[in-house]
């Protein structure tokens, strides 16, 4: 068994084992192997889309909220962002309990359908005459509720893989989740070219613009995901050696199934890895959340500019994350998962430390009767912003800069653009490293046992 664990460390991060060369071949048919891996890969996609559901509009929530409801402030933005996580927290144990006694197709299909409906609701939050911000709050909360299937996905993959496959498979799952968080804003950036006005379908009162197009894409992908799950997903559970095991979710029982050996779980390690996973996820969610309002206040970007430029920055971080994922498996063999996890946390800490405001230059104040977008004194950040200025800038959007009602604008130094970009690069290195390694360690602790009750 130790040999299997060592051999697993030599598997590529995104590579899957093929039958025909190991003892597996006498205990798993090729048909069963193919069915099992098709199901696992569909759940990779589901995990990716679940994370995209959070981040695909994260760049545009603040400007969209300001546009549809003038009474919304930064505090309410916090509630809108938090509603996703609150919905996910409520739904996770519900879907997890459901999956313990019924085929996993059921909670997965229902959860994705809820997300699709919530995305459609988000596309219509501009229609009501008042209280639009509360409709957005409900829509994001329901998207989060649908994303409560994450625990079901992880539990399925952990139970459907052998010991040799599990490390790579769980690392792939975390990679898909992290890439979803990072690449979601890339979709938003593509739609930023549509602009705020976009086109309107008067018959059904649907506006397709840079704010609603991403959620409509998310709804379409959700429907496609449901179809794939209903057609291709099968219930599978194997033990450490790859033998098919008895499972309450199994659609067909097999005479050669074996029971999963039970053992004690290190509860301290489970709690510790859950806390680590929470910290890592919180760090990047916080960064994605503050990027748009921060850049709008610090650099006097318009709503369209903030959505486009921040999306480009996060798209670059997505490319960076892919490179990290490709190299992290090789590095983990040399120095171990714990060392990479610790190193990633240190890099993230340095990134946030650099993000602290320094110097004696202050952001431009947003005066209602002043529309001068210049920043006093010439800085590196100002030069870059000038180069990024859009030739089709809409000067009717209203004043830009740090709102006068925010007292900190008068005494908090400006975060220079070079400083912000350096911080983003470091956080983009640390987050994927910590995400993958924390869950790789977690999956090794729990093994093939049912994991829904333990999952974060």
């Amino acid at each position: 068994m130790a040999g299997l664990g060592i051999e697993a460390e030599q598997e590529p991060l995104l590579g899957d084992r093929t039958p025909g060369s190991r003892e597996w071949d006498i205990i798993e048919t090729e048909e069963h192997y193919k069915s099992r891996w098709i199901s696992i890969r569909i759940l990779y996609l589901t995990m990716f889309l679940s994370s995209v559901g959070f981040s695909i509009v994260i760049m545009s929530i603040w400007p969209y909220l300001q546009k549809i409801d003038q009474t919304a402030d930064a505090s309410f933005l916090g509630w809108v962002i938090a509603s996703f996580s609150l919905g996910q927290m409520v739904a996770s144990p519900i879907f997890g309990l459901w999956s313990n006694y019924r085929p996993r197709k059921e909670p997965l299909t229902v959860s994705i359908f809820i997300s699709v409906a919530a995305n459609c609701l988000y596309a219509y939050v501009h229609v009501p005459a008042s209280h639009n911000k509360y409709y957005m709050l409900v829509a994001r909360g329901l998207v989060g509720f649908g994303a409560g299937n994450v625990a079901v996905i992880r539990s399925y993959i952990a139970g459907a893989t052998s010991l040799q496959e599990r490390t790579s498979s769980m690392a792939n799952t975390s990679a898909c989740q992290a890439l979803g968080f990072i690449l979601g804003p890339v979709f938003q950036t593509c739609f930023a070219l549509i602009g705020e006005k976009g086109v309107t379908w008067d018959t059904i009162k649907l506006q397709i613009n840079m704010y609603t197009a991403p959620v409509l894409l998310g709804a379409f992908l959700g429907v496609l995901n449901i179809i794939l799950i209903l057609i291709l997903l099968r219930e599978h559970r194997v033990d450490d050696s790859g033998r098919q095991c008895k499972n309450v979710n199994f659609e067909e029982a097999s005479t050669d199934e074996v029971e999963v050996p039970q053992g004690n779980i290190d509860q301290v390690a489970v709690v510790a890895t859950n806390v680590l996973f929470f910290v890592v996820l919180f760090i990047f969610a916080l960064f994605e959340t503050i990027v748009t309002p921060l850049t709008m206040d610090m650099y006097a970007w318009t709503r369209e500019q903030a959505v486009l430029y921040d999306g480009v920055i996060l798209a670059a971080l997505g490319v960076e994350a892919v490179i990290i994922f490709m190299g992290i498996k090789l590095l983990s063999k040399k120095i171990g998962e714990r060392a990479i996890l610790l190193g990633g946390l240190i890099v993230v800490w340095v990134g946030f430390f650099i993000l602290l405001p320094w110097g004696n230059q202050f952001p431009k104040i947003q005066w209602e009767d002043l529309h001068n977008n210049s920043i006093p004194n010439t800085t590196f950040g100002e030069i870059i912003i000038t180069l990024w200025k859009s030739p089709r800038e809409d000067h009717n959007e209203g004043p830009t800069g740090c709102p006068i009602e925010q007292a900190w604008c008068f005494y908090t130094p400006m975060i220079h653009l070079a400083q912000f970009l350096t911080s983003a690069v470091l956080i983009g290195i640390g987050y994927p490293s910590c995400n993958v390694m924390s869950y790789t360690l977690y999956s090794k602790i729990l093994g093939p046992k049912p994991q829904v009750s333990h999952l974060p």
Side-chain angles (χ1 to χ4, degrees):
M1 196 63 68
L4 293 178
I6 294 173
E7 204 169 326
E9 293 298 318
Q10 299 173 350
E11 295 286 339
L13 179 61
L14 298 177
D16 301 324
R17 180 182 56 84
T18 56
S21 60
R22 297 184 177 92
E23 59 200 270
W24 259 258
D25 301 323
I26 61 174
I27 59 178
E28 181 181 35
T29 64
E30 184 175 355
E31 180 181 0
H32 181 270
Y33 174 86
K34 289 181 178 179
S35 174
R36 185 163 61 88
W37 277 101
I38 287 174
S39 299
I40 290 173
R41 287 166 182 147
I42 288 175
L43 293 186
Y44 286 164
L45 173 64
T46 304
M47 176 66 85
F48 175 79
L49 294 179
S50 178
S51 296
V52 167
F54 171 80
S55 62
I56 195 170
V57 295
I58 202 70
M59 295 290 97
S60 63
I61 284 182
W62 178 231
Y64 192 33
L65 187 60
Q66 288 179 312
K67 181 181 179 181
I68 65 173
D69 197 326
Q70 297 297 322
T71 65
D73 56 14
S75 297
F76 194 83
L77 171 66
W79 284 108
V80 173
I81 299 296
S83 64
F84 180 96
S85 298
L86 290 174
Q88 189 174 37
M89 181 182 69
V90 172
S92 291
I94 297 174
F95 291 133
L97 186 63
W98 189 349
S99 70
N100 280 343
Y101 298 98
R102 297 289 300 169
R104 293 182 175 93
K105 279 185 179 181
E106 295 178 8
L108 288 172
T109 302
V110 170
S111 63
I112 298 171
F113 177 81
I114 292 173
S115 293
V116 170
N119 280 327
C120 293
L121 173 61
Y122 186 93
Y124 280 94
V125 295
H126 66 279
V127 174
S130 61
H131 306 298
N132 306 75
K133 63 182 182 181
Y134 296 109
Y135 289 99
M136 179 182 284
L137 180 70
V138 171
R140 292 301 296 169
L142 288 176
V143 172
F145 192 91
N149 57 21
V150 168
V152 179
I153 295 170
R154 291 189 183 278
S155 176
Y156 179 99
I157 294 175
T161 51
S162 64
L163 180 63
Q164 184 175 14
E165 300 165 325
R166 192 168 302 126
T167 298
S168 292
S169 298
M170 298 309 292
N172 294 346
T173 306
S174 291
C176 289
Q177 183 182 40
L179 285 176
F181 278 123
I182 296 172
L183 296 180
V186 176
F187 296 106
Q188 173 73 78
T189 303
C190 296
F191 291 116
L193 301 177
I194 300 176
E196 283 195 314
K197 187 176 181 180
V199 296
T200 302
W201 191 350
D202 293 325
T203 306
I204 58 176
K205 297 182 178 180
L206 177 63
Q207 289 184 0
I208 302 177
N209 53 35
M210 70 179 194
Y211 301 125
T212 60
V215 295
L216 294 175
L217 173 64
F220 172 76
L221 293 176
V223 172
L224 181 62
N225 196 9
I226 289 175
I227 294 173
L228 290 175
I229 288 175
L230 292 177
I231 295 177
L232 298 176
L233 185 69
R234 297 292 181 269
E235 297 291 341
H236 292 287
R237 191 176 177 205
V238 299
D239 64 5
D240 281 349
S241 299
R243 296 185 181 89
Q244 188 171 330
C245 302
K246 290 183 179 179
N247 191 344
V248 294
N249 312 85
F250 256 65
E251 297 163 348
E252 296 181 4
S254 175
T255 56
D256 60 348
E257 290 174 345
V258 298
E259 294 282 357
V260 176
Q262 299 297 319
N264 294 327
I265 296 176
D266 188 342
Q267 298 295 336
V268 175
V270 168
V271 172
T273 48
N274 269 292
V275 171
L276 280 172
F277 193 79
F278 166 79
V279 170
V280 170
L281 205 58
F282 173 82
I283 286 170
F284 196 77
L286 172 65
F287 179 74
E288 279 194 325
T289 301
I290 67 173
V291 161
T292 301
L294 176 69
T295 52
M296 289 177 68
D297 290 349
M298 288 289 174
Y299 311 126
W301 288 351
T302 64
R303 291 194 292 261
E304 288 191 28
Q305 287 173 332
V307 172
L308 177 61
Y309 301 162
D310 291 333
V312 170
I313 292 171
L314 286 178
L317 295 188
V319 175
E320 179 186 24
V322 171
I323 297 174
I324 296 296
F325 288 135
M326 292 173 62
I328 200 172
K329 187 67 176 180
L330 180 62
L331 186 61
S332 66
K333 291 190 299 183
K334 298 181 179 298
I335 64 176
E337 291 93 345
R338 289 171 176 80
I340 293 178
L341 179 59
L342 181 59
L345 290 172
I346 293 174
V347 170
V348 169
W349 182 87
V350 172
F352 275 100
F353 182 79
I354 291 175
L355 198 59
L356 293 174
W358 302 90
N360 55 8
Q361 184 177 352
F362 300 94
K364 174 212 161 186
I365 302 300
Q366 180 188 114
W367 304 101
E368 290 297 333
D369 58 344
L370 183 63
H371 297 274
N372 177 17
N373 286 344
S374 63
I375 299 175
N377 301 327
T378 301
T379 64
F380 173 78
E382 182 186 359
I383 295 173
I384 298 300
I385 293 171
T386 302
L387 293 175
W388 280 12
K389 288 290 184 182
S390 171
R392 59 182 180 83
E393 180 180 349
D394 183 5
H395 293 282
N396 296 322
E397 281 197 349
T400 57
C402 203
I404 190 173
E405 60 268 17
Q406 295 179 174
W408 62 265
C409 297
F410 294 94
Y411 59 81
T412 302
M414 177 182 176
I415 297 175
H416 299 283
L417 187 60
Q419 183 182 348
F420 172 72
L421 294 177
T422 302
S423 173
V425 169
L426 292 175
I427 294 173
I429 293 173
Y431 169 69
S433 304
C434 294
N435 185 286
V436 172
M437 289 300 102
S438 62
Y439 211 87
T440 298
L441 290 171
Y442 188 78
S443 64
K444 287 183 175 181
I445 294 170
L446 294 187
K449 305 172 184 65
Q451 301 189 18
V452 169
S453 60
H454 300 281
L455 286 168

